């Protein structure tokens, strides 16, 4: 079945710097790709999702890149600020119409003032 | 505002006791999910449901039951709780097309002594 690996597990950056989180997946039929943010003591909140026919999507300081050839999904937080400190998860849906989401293991991002 | 509400938020149980975690959603989504979150494992799917009356096994169903009596409510039941089930449990709802967009509750922290 689908395997998702996420790295790094921990990431510290200075305020204003970029933070990049990467996930790799194994199933080339994967249809949907998402990023979630989890703040301390809270549930996961959807940040952004893309379909497999999208290579790049930008919203509010976030950039999602999808490289289907390498089966790699990345999240780039440009100009990170302390409020971005949280755990970030990638999630993939193996195929169109699937009920299932498979999550990466998470990245603890700390943005230092 | 669409919401997923879990109860209780915190629970301490004894080994061998019965625990019921409840989830209510106002999103009118067909699909609902129960995950557990443990350090180093990300989120793992326990049970899910396609609609009222439906329950399906996820990736780690052993030791858990689920009940979906209505569109809005989805419960996770631990008949004989064990210390290994100490975890944070998250309920989520999503639409039937599973576009990578799930809406999560705030989590229920369960400690089994």
């Amino acid at each position: 079945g689908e395997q998702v690996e996420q790295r790094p597990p921990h990431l510290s950056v200075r305020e204003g710097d970029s933070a990049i989180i990467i996930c790799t997946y194994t199933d080339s039929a994967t249809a949907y790709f998402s990023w979630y943010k989890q703040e301390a003591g809270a549930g996961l909140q959807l940040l952004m999702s893309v379909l497999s026919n999208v290579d790049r999507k930008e919203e509010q300081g976030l950039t999602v890149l999808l490289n289907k050839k390498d089966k790699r999904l990345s999240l780039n937080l440009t100009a990170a600020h302390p409020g971005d400190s949280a755990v970030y998860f990638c999630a993939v849906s193996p195929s169109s119409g699937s009920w299932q989401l498979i999550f990466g293991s998470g990245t603890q991002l700390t943005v230092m003032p | 505002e669409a919401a997923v509400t879990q109860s209780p938020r915190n629970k301490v149980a004894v080994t061998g006791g019965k625990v019921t975690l409840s989830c209510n959603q106002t999103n009118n989504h067909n699909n609902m999910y129960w995950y557990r979150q443990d350090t180093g494992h990300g989120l793992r799917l326990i049970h899910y449901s396609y609609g009222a009356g439906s329950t399906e096994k996820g990736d780690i169903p052993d030791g858990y039951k689920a009940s979906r009596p209505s569109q809005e409510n989805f419960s996770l039941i631990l008949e004989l709780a064990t210390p290994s089930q100490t975890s944070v449990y998250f309920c989520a709802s999503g639409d039937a097309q599973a576009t990578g967009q799930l809406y999560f509750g705030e989590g229920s922290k369960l400690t089994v002594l």
Side-chain angles (χ1 to χ4, degrees):
Chain A
E2 175 86 87
Q3 302 285 327
V4 178
E5 292 190 5
Q6 183 172 344
R7 64 179 193 275
H10 301 277
L11 179 60
S12 291
V13 301
R14 290 282 182 192
E15 184 173 6
D17 288 348
S18 293
I20 299 175
I21 304 169
I22 295 172
C23 286
T24 56
Y25 60 97
T26 56
D27 187 350
S28 58
T30 300
Y32 301 106
F33 304 84
S34 305
W35 285 98
Y36 288 81
K37 176 183 181 181
Q38 184 181 31
E39 296 180 342
L44 281 70
Q45 288 186 304
L46 177 70
L47 286 177
M48 205 183 308
S49 63
V50 298
L51 300 177
S52 60
N53 61 352
V54 173
D55 294 332
R56 181 188 182 99
K57 186 174 181 179
E58 294 184 43
E59 280 182 6
Q60 298 179 332
L62 301 173
T63 302
V64 171
L65 296 176
L66 177 60
N67 182 325
K68 291 183 287 294
K69 174 177 175 292
D70 295 338
K71 299 190 185 71
R72 186 174 67 239
L73 175 73
S74 66
L75 175 69
N76 186 348
L77 290 80
T78 55
H81 56 85
D84 291 328
S85 296
V87 181
Y88 291 80
F89 292 91
C90 63
V92 304
S93 184
S95 62
S96 178
S98 171
W99 52 266
Q100 189 177 11
L101 277 189
I102 299 173
F103 286 85
S105 53
T107 296
Q108 173 71 63
L109 173 66
T110 303
V111 182
M112 297 171 289
Chain B
E1 182 178 324
V4 178
T5 306
Q6 295 180 226
S7 63
R9 295 291 313 280
N10 286 282
K11 173 75 176 178
V12 178
V14 295
T15 297
K18 181 177 181 179
V19 176
T20 299
L21 303 179
S22 300
C23 180
N24 176 276
Q25 56 112 350
T26 59
N27 301 325
N28 198 31
H29 287 149
N30 289 332
N31 294 0
M32 295 186 74
Y33 307 80
W34 276 106
Y35 290 89
R36 63 178 283 176
Q37 184 178 33
D38 304 286
T39 303
H41 288 280
L43 279 83
R44 293 181 290 174
L45 182 65
I46 306 170
H47 284 288
Y48 62 101
S49 168
Y50 292 125
S54 142
T55 60
E56 306 291 336
K57 294 180 179 180
D59 298 324
I60 53 164
D62 293 346
Y64 303 94
K65 292 183 180 179
S67 173
R68 182 86 182 271
S70 65
Q71 177 84 339
E72 297 79 20
N73 295 294
F74 189 38
S75 296
L76 186 68
I77 303 153
L78 291 69
E79 295 278 4
L80 295 169
T82 67
S84 65
Q85 294 175 312
T86 294
S87 187
V88 180
Y89 293 85
F90 287 96
C91 176
S93 73
D95 59 31
Q97 287 73 32
T99 57
Q101 299 183 17
L102 292 187
Y103 299 84
F104 283 82
E106 294 292 294
S108 296
K109 184 176 180 180
L110 173 65
T111 303
V112 183
L113 302 176

